[in-house]
Amino acid sequence: MILVAFGRKRGKILGNLSEAIPHKTYQVTAVPEHAEVKKHLQDLGLIPGSQVILLKTQGANGIVLLHKSRLALDQSVLQQIQVKEVTSQTEVLALSDLAVGDQGKVVSIFGEGAVRRRLMDMGLTKNVQVTVRKLAPLGDPIELSLRGYALSLRKSEAEYILVEKEVTP
């Protein structure tokens, strides 16, 4: 029997997405039974068998990464989505969540129009290795090292960039 942990509860094979640990990969095993909600989630691509990552929870909402798209779901919907943990050597998180010295590979860049274009023009493109070199005393801005040069970003801009970080056991 495989035991996985969700939040503070141990020994559960399955759990709901609201109990999931942020930045870990989960596989959806069941979706809500309510026909209207089920149809809407299917239209978004959230079906049993799909892989999701809970990025963060804010108040009554949770931000979920599904097929490189971020979805904001209500806590009541998160509680109805059953998942199981997928064993992975990596975790996906926002660039702003990395600590000094951490490295990651850019997975995707969110944002629209000028913001996204500006980030990509500065060299932040998919599959680029990024290292956090320094944080300002109040945590904003962040100094990064990538492609042989140093780049400073506001923390609000770094939230648009998802990176894959290797997990050390």
Side-chain angles (χ1 to χ4, degrees):
M1 177 189 233
I2 298 172
L3 299 178
V4 293
F6 285 93
R8 298 180 194 273
K9 300 177 183 177
R10 290 197 156 285
K12 290 179 86 174
I13 294 174
L14 297 175
N16 65 53
L17 201 49
S18 68
E19 297 173 335
I21 300 168
H23 312 300
K24 291 199 179 283
T25 304
Y26 295 92
Q27 183 175 7
V28 176
T29 57
V31 293
E33 292 299 318
H34 189 267
E36 194 173 304
V37 176
K38 188 174 186 175
K39 170 89 170 93
H40 185 65
L41 291 175
Q42 284 177 342
D43 290 345
L44 294 171
L46 204 150
I47 58 173
S50 57
Q51 291 191 354
V52 296
I53 299 169
L54 179 66
L55 295 176
K56 65 180 174 180
T57 54
Q58 258 181 338
N61 296 319
I63 308 294
V64 176
L65 180 67
L66 171 72
H67 305 299
K68 306 213 179 194
S69 297
R70 293 189 299 182
L71 305 174
L73 298 174
D74 188 67
Q75 201 64 244
S76 63
V77 175
L78 292 175
Q79 291 172 351
Q80 296 176 53
I81 299 171
Q82 298 298 310
V83 294
K84 67 179 179 180
E85 190 171 1
V86 174
T87 56
S88 175
Q89 299 298 326
T90 61
E91 64 180 350
V92 177
L93 59 157
L95 181 58
S96 60
D97 293 336
L98 291 180
V100 174
D102 285 351
Q103 292 184 354
K105 181 174 74 169
V106 176
V107 175
S108 62
I109 300 171
F110 294 101
E112 294 184 17
V115 173
R116 180 183 169 101
R117 185 79 191 145
R118 193 169 72 83
L119 292 170
M120 292 175 71
D121 287 345
M122 289 189 284
L124 287 161
T125 57
K126 195 171 180 180
N127 295 324
V128 169
Q129 279 295 124
V130 178
T131 304
V132 177
R133 289 181 41 180
K134 299 177 191 173
L135 284 176
L138 297 175
D140 198 13
I142 301 169
E143 184 176 318
L144 309 170
S145 176
L146 68 142
R147 298 182 188 254
Y149 66 92
L151 172 68
S152 293
L153 286 179
R154 292 184 190 109
K155 206 165 197 164
S156 61
E157 294 169 332
E159 288 177 350
Y160 289 118
I161 303 161
L162 288 183
V163 294
E164 188 175 67
K165 176 185 165 190
E166 287 198 26
V167 178
T168 54

